[in-house]
C-alpha cells in the first residue's frame, strides 16, 4: 500500500504534502549524531543555530509548502507560470522563516529543494516513483524565474570561485546526490538491519561522500571538502553508523569537521529531500 493511499481522505493533498515536507525537515534536524550539524546533542559547527530554532524554522515553512502544492495543482503543468508562482512563494516563505529565526538562514536551501519536490508530486500525485518526481522537479528548476534576484548567496559565490555545481544545478539535474547515493544507501542499510536512525545517518554520509557541498567549501575550501568526503566514505567502508568501527570513524570525522569549523548543510538539505521522497512512498 502506498503512502498516498494511507493519507487521511479528509486532508487536502496540499496540506498532506506540506506535512511531509515539514516532517522531513524535523526528522533531519533530530537525526543524531550528525557530524558538524545541529542535532539533539548541540549546535555542531554553528554558533547561531540550535535544535529549537531548526524546529521553529521548519514549522514556519508549512504555509509556504502548502501554497507551492496548491500552485502546482492550480497550474497543472510544468511551465513558466508555475515557476514564477513557486519563486514568489519561496521568497515569501524565506522572509517568514527569517522573521522567525531573527535573520538566521536555517532552511533557505531546503525551501528550494523541498519546494520543487512538493510541487512535482502535487502535479502527479498518482505517480510516487522517486526518480520520476525528482526529474519533474528538475524540469521546473530548469525554467528561469524572471523575478528572481541575482544570486548573491554564499553558495553562488562558491560556485563561481571553485567551478562546482550548487543547489540550483543539483535540482536541475534531478537531485543526483539524493537519488543515486542517499536513497540507495538508505535502502541498503535498512535491508542490512541497521535500524532506521543508523540507516538515515548512512544516507547522509553517502551524500556527504559525493556532494560538492557549497556550505563546506564556503567555510573551509577544498581542504574541508576533501576531509568531509574522505571521512564520510571511511565511515561507510568501516560498516556504517550501525557498526562499532563505523562509529569510531564517525567520531573521528566529527572531530575533524569541528576542527575545520565545517557544517555540511547542503548534504543535510538533500537528506531532507531523501526523507520526503521516502515518506511519500517513493522507494
Amino acid at each position: 500500500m502506498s503512502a498516498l493511499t494511507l493519507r487521511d481522505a479528509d486532508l487536502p493533498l496540499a496540506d498532506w504534502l506540506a506535512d511531509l515536507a515539514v516532517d522531513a525537515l524535523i526528522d533531519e534536524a533530530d537525526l543524531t549524531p550528525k557530524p558538524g550539524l545541529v542535532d539533539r546533542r548541540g549546535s555542531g559547527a554553528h554558533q547561531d543555530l540550535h535544535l529549537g530554532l531548526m524546529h521553529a524554522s521548519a514549522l514556519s515553512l508549512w504555509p509556504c509548502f502548502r501554497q507551492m502544492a496548491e500552485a502546482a495543482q492550480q497550474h497543472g503543468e510544468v511551465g513558466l507560470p508555475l515557476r514564477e508562482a513557486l519563486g514568489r512563494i519561496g521568497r515569501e516563505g524565506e522572509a517568514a522563516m527569517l522573521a522567525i529565526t531573527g535573520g538566521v538562514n536555517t532552511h533557505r536551501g531546503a525551501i528550494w529543494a523541498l519546494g520543487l519536490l512538493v510541487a512535482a508530486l502535487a502535479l502527479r500525485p498518482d505517480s510516487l516513483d522517486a526518480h520520476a518526481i525528482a526529474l519533474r522537479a528538475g524540469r521546473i528548476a530548469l525554467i528561469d524565474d524572471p523575478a528572481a534576484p541575482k544570486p548573491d548567496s554564499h553558495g553562488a559565490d562558491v560556485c563561481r570561485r571553485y567551478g562546482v555545481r550548487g543547489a540550483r544545478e543539483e535540482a536541475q539535474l534531478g537531485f543526483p546526490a539524493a537519488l543515486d547515493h542517499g536513497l540507495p544507501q538508505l535502502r541498503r542499510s535498512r535491508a542490512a538491519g541497521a535500524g532506521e536512525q543508523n540507516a538515515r545517518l548512512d544516507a547522509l554520509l553517502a551524500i556527504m561522500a559525493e556532494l560538492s557541498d557549497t556550505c563546506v567549501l564556503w567555510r573551509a575550501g577544498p581542504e574541508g571538502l576533501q576531509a568531509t568526503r574522505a571521512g564520510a566514505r571511511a565511515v561507510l567502508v568501516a560498516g556504517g553508523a550501525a557498526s562499532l568501527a563505523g562509529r569510531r570513524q564517525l567520531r573521528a570525522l566529527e572531530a575533524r569537521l569541528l576542527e575545520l569549523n565545517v557544517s555540511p548543510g547542503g548534504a543535510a538539505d538533500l537528506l531532507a529531500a531523501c526523507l520526503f521522497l521516502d515518506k511519500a512512498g517513493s522507494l
Side-chain angles (χ1 to χ4, degrees):
M1 181 177 294
S2 73
L4 193 63
T5 60
L6 294 174
R7 176 168 61 90
D8 186 342
D10 295 328
L11 191 67
L13 175 65
D15 289 35
W16 178 72
L17 291 174
D19 284 355
L20 290 186
V22 171
D23 283 350
L25 290 178
I26 291 177
D27 285 348
E28 181 279 316
D30 285 346
L31 184 62
T32 305
K34 297 194 302 291
L37 291 159
V38 175
D39 61 19
R40 289 187 177 277
R41 301 167 304 160
S43 298
H46 295 276
Q47 301 298 318
D48 55 355
L49 296 179
H50 55 80
L51 189 59
L53 192 66
M54 300 298 287
H55 281 199
S57 172
L59 291 167
S60 77
L61 293 173
W62 190 89
C64 170
F65 292 133
R66 180 185 61 180
Q67 291 167 25
M68 286 181 168
E70 289 174 338
Q73 289 178 292
Q74 175 185 349
H75 291 287
E77 62 181 7
V78 175
L80 181 58
L82 174 58
R83 178 66 184 89
E84 289 178 324
L86 295 179
R88 174 183 53 78
I89 295 166
R91 289 187 289 274
E92 292 170 354
E94 181 179 326
M97 174 197 76
L98 292 173
I100 289 291
T101 64
V104 178
N105 172 23
T106 43
H107 286 124
R108 180 179 290 156
I111 294 172
W112 168 250
L114 285 173
L116 288 168
L117 292 172
V118 162
L121 186 48
L123 284 173
R124 287 287 309 277
D126 57 326
S127 174
L128 296 177
D129 176 73
H131 287 82
I133 296 169
L135 288 174
R136 197 155 53 249
R139 288 174 55 210
I140 300 172
L142 283 167
I143 301 171
D144 288 330
D145 177 6
K150 183 178 179 180
D152 61 352
S153 65
H154 291 168
D157 180 63
V158 164
C159 290
R160 289 189 292 267
R161 189 185 311 174
Y162 297 110
V164 298
R165 67 174 184 250
R168 177 182 176 86
E169 292 77 18
E170 184 74 15
Q172 290 173 338
L173 292 171
F175 301 99
L179 268 292
D180 298 339
H181 301 287
L183 283 172
Q185 185 63 59
L186 184 66
R187 287 197 296 264
R188 286 194 298 270
S189 294
R190 280 176 176 162
E196 186 59 26
Q197 294 302 298
N198 288 326
R200 290 178 179 181
L201 283 170
D202 287 349
L204 172 65
L205 291 161
I207 295 170
M208 289 169 58
E210 300 295 333
L211 185 68
S212 294
D213 196 321
T214 56
C215 295
V216 173
L217 283 166
W218 172 257
R219 283 172 170 259
E223 178 191 2
L225 182 62
Q226 194 278 332
T228 299
R229 285 173 158 178
R233 291 189 190 108
V235 179
L236 295 173
V237 169
S243 71
L244 178 58
R247 284 281 169 159
R248 289 172 177 154
Q249 291 292 337
L250 187 58
R251 288 195 295 272
L253 172 60
E254 175 156 65
R256 180 59 174 150
L257 296 192
L258 292 179
E259 177 187 358
L260 292 168
N261 193 35
V262 162
S263 176
D269 290 339
L270 289 173
L271 176 64
C274 285
L275 298 179
F276 173 84
L277 291 168
D278 180 51
K279 284 173 175 287
S282 303
L283 294 179

